[in-house]
Amino acid sequence: MRIPRFGDGRDWFFEKRFGLFLHWGLYAIPAWHEQHLYRLGLTRAEYAKLIHEFDPVRFDPDQWLDLAEEAGMEYVCFTTKHIDGFCLWDTAQTDYNVMNTPYAKDVLAMLADACHRRGFPLCLYYSKVDEHHPNFPNAGGPYELPGPEAGDEPDLEKYKAFVKEQVRELCTNYGELGGFWWDVQVFEHSDPSFNELIRSLQPNAVINDRGFSEGDFDTAERDWSKPADELLAFERPMEACQSVGMESWGYKEDEDYYTVPYLLQSLDKILAKGGNYLLNVGPMADGTIAPKHAELLRAVGRWYQTVREALDGAEPASHLTDSREVLLTRKGDALYVHLFRTPRGDRVLLNPIDALPRKATLLNTGAEVEARVDLVPSFHQQKKAYLRLRNLPVEDLVGTVPVVKLEFEESR
Ligand code: GLC
């Protein structure tokens, strides 16, 4: 039950599975949504005025990475260009970039330096849709402006040439990349030459499935992916993404937030099935991460650090039990029981497993757990004794995801 490896430098992706997603751009200034321009129906000129205000004087990539570390995250994915077309690096392909803001510093270069120095693989998010570029065929479709504006020259081939040069810059000027993260999927156009270019310049970069041709991994988003719910283990590389905010990926001043238990359940579910997980925050216009976002990440981190041995280097093993209330992972002689849904009761039945572990420990607290192999009335017809964990302190664990480590004499 192990996803086939790539067999090359991209395999870092299976070692470091929890990453920090960062949506940052001009949209941090109005602080409403990363698709501010599109969702409010502004004109391009109205929105583009924000370039004169972008001045994140408190931006310090090491602080972002400190927070990522506290959360237990090991890689980063950063929006270099969202659908508004504003570029957060020193690009020669358009003036609509960070060098022409009051800040006038290549924020991507600053982040990349910090990532390289601290050993965080850096993945770059890049939007295929570009509401700003005169050659992008804006035709009122999803994520597009209602139509070309005066002076535009819609021309897909010219636009693709622009994208290619930008990809070349991103894959050349910022050192080694861990990945390339295309968005958004609505733009139907197949052209393998883009991913080929990335592969030739950045052989260790994993590429997602939202580009111009098939990539290396799937991207389940929020709760919208059925396979992420239905499969016991992913069969292909998967990286699920989720924002701390319920509305936006960019910073939203009056955001509504997910709860910590919800985020833990979501994270545990994906990691226990063998996937990767990107948890997103939107840094504020001054370059810092909002206290509420930091607090959520730290809370996730406190849980993750206590249970991570059940996830790091462990493989999905949920097929070993018929119980759908839990997920299982295994590593060596240990089997880990993840109560990734709010428990209905204080026991877990692990039929058809009928071996008694020599030790059962609740990773969250270090407390021993009572394990028995005995016949319970529900199984009177089968007359079979199965492994049962009982007296779990579930009431004390409301608000977290309990994980129990079972150590057996031999591997299951
Ligand atoms: C959604 C949003 C987009 C965001 C992306 C991240 O598709 O519409 O703005 O960048 O999620 O996966």
Side-chain angles (χ1 to χ4, degrees):
M1 300 296 278
R2 193 163 171 257
I3 298 165
R5 299 318 195 221
F6 301 117
D8 56 34
R10 292 172 294 171
D11 282 349
W12 72 264
F13 191 69
F14 299 107
E15 308 300 323
K16 304 188 173 194
R17 298 199 295 136
F18 182 26
L20 175 64
F21 209 175
L22 293 150
H23 274 66
W24 202 35
L26 296 181
Y27 44 81
I29 300 167
W32 186 70
H33 193 275
E34 76 279 2
Q35 296 168 16
H36 189 92
L37 166 61
Y38 170 69
R39 293 201 182 200
L40 286 179
L42 305 184
T43 66
R44 184 191 291 158
E46 277 173 281
Y47 180 81
K49 284 185 200 146
L50 292 170
I51 195 171
H52 305 301
E53 288 177 50
F54 190 77
D55 195 14
V57 287
R58 297 179 64 204
F59 170 55
D60 173 359
D62 278 300
Q63 285 189 4
W64 293 5
L65 298 186
D66 287 346
L67 186 59
E69 258 168 28
E70 280 183 72
M73 295 160 160
E74 294 181 284
Y75 68 102
V76 169
C77 184
F78 179 66
T79 48
T80 59
K81 183 189 88 168
H82 208 270
I83 61 173
D84 60 2
F86 177 72
C87 300
L88 282 101
W89 79 99
D90 184 5
T91 174
Q93 313 306 320
T94 170
D95 290 338
Y96 199 45
N97 77 62
V98 69
M99 303 311 286
N100 297 314
T101 64
Y103 192 61
K105 283 187 213 148
D106 186 335
V107 295
L108 176 60
M110 293 163 73
L111 177 63
D113 282 349
C115 286
H116 297 320
R117 195 168 12 87
R118 297 173 62 161
F120 278 81
L122 173 64
C123 307
L124 303 184
Y125 170 108
Y126 182 94
S127 170
K128 295 182 290 180
V129 168
D130 188 326
E131 296 162 343
H132 192 85
H133 198 276
N135 296 134
F136 178 77
N138 275 299
Y143 308 110
E144 296 173 6
L145 295 188
E149 294 193 358
D152 280 356
E153 222 187 292
D155 183 331
L156 188 58
E157 288 311 310
K158 277 195 186 157
Y159 177 65
K160 279 170 58 186
F162 160 80
V163 170
K164 201 162 271 179
E165 286 318 303
Q166 289 213 308
V167 169
R168 195 186 302 281
E169 287 179 352
L170 291 170
C171 291
T172 311
N173 299 340
Y174 298 93
E176 183 172 318
L177 299 182
F180 203 91
W181 216 97
W182 295 103
D183 211 17
V184 296
Q185 262 153 325
V186 290
F187 184 31
E188 292 292 336
H189 188 82
S190 164
D191 183 342
S193 69
F194 288 89
N195 285 0
E196 282 163 14
L197 178 65
I198 298 168
R199 295 212 191 283
S200 71
L201 297 169
Q202 293 285 347
N204 299 338
V206 283
I207 305 176
N208 77 349
D209 63 346
R210 300 186 184 185
F212 296 101
S213 60
E214 203 189 328
D216 298 319
F217 64 91
D218 299 336
T219 50
E221 189 170 311
R222 297 199 191 260
D223 298 327
W224 306 331
S225 162
K226 277 205 151 196
D229 281 329
E230 288 164 5
L231 292 173
L232 292 184
F234 297 114
E235 288 148 14
R236 276 172 47 82
M238 162 67 83
E239 183 195 65
C241 55
Q242 168 71 43
S243 187
V244 294
M246 300 178 82
E247 278 291 332
S248 178
W249 297 75
Y251 177 64
K252 181 173 193 290
E253 198 176 7
D254 59 347
E255 181 61 281
D256 306 314
Y257 291 96
Y258 291 104
T259 64
V260 173
Y262 173 79
L263 293 174
L264 299 186
Q265 291 183 348
S266 166
L267 172 62
D268 188 61
K269 178 181 76 179
I270 298 295
L271 293 181
K273 293 180 180 191
N276 286 29
Y277 198 89
L278 274 184
L279 184 56
N280 174 80
V281 299
M284 297 190 292
D286 70 357
T288 62
I289 292 173
K292 174 71 182 180
H293 292 208
E295 187 192 305
L296 287 169
L297 254 50
R298 288 195 182 104
V300 169
R302 281 193 291 277
W303 170 83
Y304 185 58
Q305 308 286 14
T306 57
V307 305
R308 72 183 294 168
E309 71 157 277
L311 297 160
D312 263 356
E315 62 177 19
S318 302
H319 62 286
L320 294 176
T321 179
D322 295 338
S323 166
R324 294 287 75 92
E325 303 205 358
V326 295
L327 290 168
L328 301 181
T329 54
R330 69 179 162 196
K331 187 158 70 178
D333 299 347
L335 202 58
Y336 298 92
V337 185
H338 301 249
L339 284 78
F340 76 115
R341 300 197 162 113
T342 306
R344 293 183 303 160
D346 64 357
R347 69 106 190 264
V348 174
L349 264 182
L350 288 166
N351 52 295
I353 299 173
D354 57 4
L356 191 66
R358 60 183 159 78
K359 200 168 172 200
T361 318
L362 181 63
L363 288 182
N364 310 65
T365 61
E368 199 168 326
V369 168
E370 184 180 344
R372 291 186 184 183
V373 174
D374 59 1
L375 176 68
V376 293
S378 314
F379 284 104
H380 69 105
Q381 277 172 328
Q382 295 91 327
K383 291 212 170 16
K384 291 231 171 92
Y386 296 120
L387 175 57
R388 173 165 67 116
L389 309 178
R390 63 185 298 269
N391 274 327
L392 287 163
V394 281
E395 306 282 1
D396 302 340
L397 295 169
V398 168
T400 192
V401 171
V403 180
V404 180
K405 177 181 187 180
L406 305 176
E407 291 167 83
F408 290 91
E409 292 307 334
E410 51 196 43
S411 55
R412 316 288 325 152

